[in-house]
Amino acid sequence: MGMERGSFAARHEFDALPLSADVEVHCAQYSELASLADMAHRLVPGVRIGEPELARYFTFDPQCLLTFSRKGTLVGGMAFLYLNSLGRDALLLDEICLTEPDTRCLASGDEEVSAIYIWAIAATGRGIAGLGKAAAHLRQPRFRSADCFAQPSTAAGRDIMKATGFAPIPSFQPDLWCYERPWNRQPVRVPGSVLAARSFADARH
């Protein structure tokens, strides 16, 4: 995952990013795949995914690719792997080939999405402002309960991870970062004995 380095100092949770009015975000059309593949090759180091591979996963799930456009010009895109429970486990155990994932690990249309792997983010200039609408796309019922995972491949990608609430997690998969959806987080439980001690101390004052 990578992009041109730009200023992305603003800190927002991924699910609280503002919706930019001047960047349009929509599910990719088949005719856009070549341009998206070219942009990914230019901006994401080491990417080996070409148009045929994108087409394969696009055919499996047309919602796995988003394009960002501004005034009719392509300025970015995102690619996702929507993983089922088998895929989520394989990701954490480093048992999935992320450059050519087995479709058995991908959630079909009638299967629960257990995890969202951000395969690539490629954006130029103002394109990064499309992230807010991309996050909104992932709040649809089909994706809402799935936490997001990524492996930043550039310094700029790492900056974006840090700025949007992602954090490295322990896993067999190298340098795997996770964004836990706010509604999936467990509240911090304060032990009852601590609460009782605090109540007793308050009562004494």
Side-chain angles (χ1 to χ4, degrees), residues 14 118 148-150 160-168 177-180:
F14 184 62
I118 300 174
C148 300
F149 296 84
I160 284 183
M161 293 287 96
K162 291 176 183 174
T164 54
F166 283 76
W177 292 50
C178 177
Y179 169 73
E180 190 176 18

Side-chain angles (χ1 to χ4, degrees), residues 196-205:
R198 188 172 295 162
S199 299
F200 179 69
D202 290 343
R204 293 182 61 186
H205 286 293

Side-chain angles (χ1 to χ4, degrees), residues 33-87:
L33 297 188
S35 297
L36 285 170
D38 177 64
M39 181 174 281
H41 277 275
R42 285 188 289 112
L43 299 180
V44 186
V47 73
R48 296 188 299 274
I49 300 164
E51 184 182 356
E53 290 81 11
L54 282 184
R56 178 185 176 207
Y57 295 105
F58 177 82
T59 302
F60 183 84
D61 192 334
Q63 291 190 309
C64 73
L65 293 172
L66 297 180
T67 59
F68 303 173
S69 57
R70 185 168 184 255
K71 297 178 180 176
T73 300
L74 183 70
V75 291
M78 285 183 81
F80 309 97
L81 297 177
Y82 301 127
L83 303 174
N84 55 24
S85 57
L86 177 69

Side-chain angles (χ1 to χ4, degrees), residues 15-158:
D15 278 302
L17 288 171
L19 305 180
S20 171
D22 65 345
V23 178
E24 292 298 319
V25 175
H26 63 263
C27 289
Q29 303 296 313
Y30 194 88
S31 59
E32 296 172 309
L33 297 188
S35 297
L36 285 170
D38 177 64
M39 181 174 281
H41 277 275
R42 285 188 289 112
L43 299 180
V44 186
V47 73
R48 296 188 299 274
I49 300 164
E51 184 182 356
E53 290 81 11
L54 282 184
R56 178 185 176 207
Y57 295 105
F58 177 82
T59 302
F60 183 84
D61 192 334
Q63 291 190 309
C64 73
L65 293 172
L66 297 180
T67 59
F68 303 173
S69 57
R70 185 168 184 255
K71 297 178 180 176
T73 300
L74 183 70
V75 291
M78 285 183 81
F80 309 97
L81 297 177
Y82 301 127
L83 303 174
N84 55 24
S85 57
L86 177 69
R88 186 183 191 280
D89 290 347
L91 175 68
L92 295 174
L93 295 171
D94 193 19
E95 292 177 351
I96 186 172
C97 175
L98 289 169
T99 53
E100 197 173 336
D102 188 328
T103 52
R104 288 177 299 178
C105 291
L106 305 180
S108 57
D110 58 352
E111 200 173 10
E112 182 182 355
V113 177
S114 296
I116 298 164
Y117 180 77
I118 300 174
W119 213 9
I121 300 175
T124 60
R126 292 276 302 150
I128 199 63
L131 275 180
K133 289 181 178 175
H137 170 78
L138 297 178
R139 288 194 293 276
Q140 295 178 78
R142 182 183 174 211
F143 313 117
R144 186 177 167 84
S145 64
D147 291 335
C148 300
F149 296 84
Q151 290 172 298
S153 59
T154 65
R158 194 173 294 265

Side-chain angles (χ1 to χ4, degrees), residues 173-189:
Q173 184 74 239
D175 200 25
L176 186 65
W177 292 50
C178 177
Y179 169 73
E180 190 176 18
R181 311 304 283 271
W183 39 87
N184 288 347
R185 295 172 198 166
Q186 297 297 319
V188 177
R189 297 190 183 280

